[in-house]
Amino acid sequence: MTQSTPHVSLAATAHEPPIALPAIGQGTWYMGEGLSPRRDEVRALQQGLELGLTLIDTAEMYGDGGAEEIVGEALTGRRDEAFVVSKVYPWNAGRDGVIAACERSLARLKTDHLDLYLLHWPGDIPLEDTLDAFERLRESGKIRRFGVSNFDVEEMEALEATPGGDQCAVNQVLYHLGSRGIEHALLPWQRERAIPTMAYCPLAQAGALRGELLNHPTVLEVANDLGITPSQLLLAWAIRPIDGRRGDDYRDVIAIPKAVQSAHVAQNAEALGIKLDDDALKRLDAAFPAPTRKTSLDIV
């Protein structure tokens, strides 16, 4: 990653130095489920690595571990090239359950450590128990950092109030042009505390909204005017500079689109170099207004 590549920085911890990550990574939801040839999924992740999309996000939930196995195969002999993120089910998030779940993920991923381990969504197990297990995993070298996913402001406040919760590295939530609810309260809350956001489904992959977004007249017009694809427009929008600033390569949102076709992987990587001007942003805001009130967190 060059210095000019749009990037997101994870702050230094007491045990890890700061690290800069590309503002677009690679998602793996629906990989390892036989929807595409296994070799194509493996090849796509490897191509993404070669193009600078070094963050790979997965979870024990995806394909019941199948996606982690795809990632493990893709990283054979090149583990050091990737920043690997996985997630634990909330019902596995107890003091001992997290340890066992992490060991299973590591085995499927064929690695001895995760760069980032997330609680997949809030559950019934006390956060103190989960954080205690995360710390034990960190002490044993099994994980480098921890974070959460699908946490709204109230859950983030509870996390912050829990001993060790202030070490949360990221919160991964659904975020795309058609789902801007986090901009009202959650995103500002995290920005005040310098907690980056990982945006899953940045292309609205889930549900019928994908077709509505990618075929929306404004999206098509703006993308055509810029000479890019609608998907690239949505990715560039998701990782736009903070407060609309230009010429600033620092971001605090990491988009993690999933791609299997080689052309889509290449387009995702190219989106890192796309800068949206004020006119494009105003047209998109007019078609998909930012929220004016707190809304429920979108989860798929």
Side-chain angles (χ1 to χ4, degrees):
M1 183 173 66
T2 66
Q3 196 62 35
S4 61
T5 301
H7 63 276
V8 174
S9 294
L10 300 189
T13 70
H15 311 282
E16 294 293 326
I19 185 170
L21 300 168
I24 296 177
Q26 302 188 79
T28 62
W29 195 13
Y30 292 119
M31 285 190 178
E33 298 185 24
L35 300 178
S36 300
R38 183 184 187 92
R39 65 181 181 278
D40 291 351
E41 294 176 338
V42 169
R43 189 181 300 119
L45 293 176
Q46 293 174 335
Q47 179 187 357
L49 279 182
E50 292 157 5
L51 295 175
L53 306 181
T54 54
L55 183 148
I56 299 178
D57 175 83
T58 190
E60 65 172 339
M61 184 186 85
Y62 301 164
D64 195 23
E68 289 179 323
E69 293 176 353
I70 295 292
V71 175
E73 186 172 338
L75 295 183
T76 300
R78 55 197 308 176
R79 171 65 179 89
D80 291 344
E81 298 177 33
F83 184 96
V84 179
V85 185
S86 194
K87 297 182 282 290
V88 59
Y89 277 124
W91 50 83
N92 285 337
R95 281 189 169 90
D96 295 325
V98 173
I99 306 297
C102 185
E103 292 285 6
R104 291 192 296 268
S105 289
L106 292 175
R108 289 188 290 262
L109 289 160
K110 301 177 183 176
T111 185
D112 61 358
H113 75 279
L114 293 170
D115 297 291
L116 179 62
Y117 199 30
L118 309 181
L119 174 60
H120 207 148
W121 62 86
D124 297 328
I125 292 174
L127 284 172
E128 307 92 85
D129 294 359
T130 304
L131 294 182
D132 177 71
F134 281 162
E135 178 59 17
R136 287 161 58 201
L137 286 169
R138 187 205 60 74
E139 289 176 348
S140 64
K142 301 295 176 62
I143 68 173
R144 299 282 171 82
R145 287 175 168 86
F146 80 87
V148 294
S149 180
N150 296 305
F151 271 46
D152 206 345
V153 174
E154 296 78 10
E155 288 89 12
M156 291 301 291
E157 289 174 339
L159 178 67
E160 185 180 50
T162 304
D166 59 349
Q167 295 300 301
C168 175
V170 305
N171 182 19
Q172 182 181 128
V173 294
L174 186 148
Y175 182 52
H176 55 72
L177 180 62
S179 180
R180 301 181 63 174
I182 67 170
E183 293 179 28
H184 185 271
L186 181 60
L187 205 51
W189 190 95
Q190 290 184 204
R191 283 177 171 162
E192 286 178 6
R193 293 157 179 80
I195 300 174
T197 298
M198 291 183 70
Y200 73 80
C201 290
L203 305 179
Q205 289 99 324
L209 184 59
R210 179 177 192 180
E212 294 177 20
L213 264 187
L214 294 178
N215 295 308
H216 190 279
T218 301
V219 171
L220 294 174
E221 291 167 7
V222 174
N224 184 64
D225 289 348
L226 295 174
I228 60 179
T229 69
S231 294
Q232 287 178 316
L233 176 64
L234 296 186
L235 288 178
W237 179 89
I239 65 165
R240 65 200 184 284
I242 300 170
D243 298 327
R245 293 198 300 267
R246 304 301 170 269
D248 184 356
D249 292 317
Y250 176 77
R251 308 287 197 269
D252 66 355
V253 173
I254 304 173
I256 48 170
K258 172 233 179 187
V260 175
Q261 295 183 28
S262 179
H264 292 165
V265 177
Q267 289 168 8
N268 291 348
E270 290 166 2
L272 278 169
I274 296 170
K275 292 180 171 60
L276 304 182
D277 58 25
D278 288 331
D279 176 67
L281 291 171
K282 287 177 181 177
R283 291 161 68 186
L284 293 173
D285 281 342
F288 300 91
T292 57
R293 60 181 178 81
K294 176 77 168 64
T295 59
S296 298
L297 186 69
D298 276 349
I299 297 175
V300 294

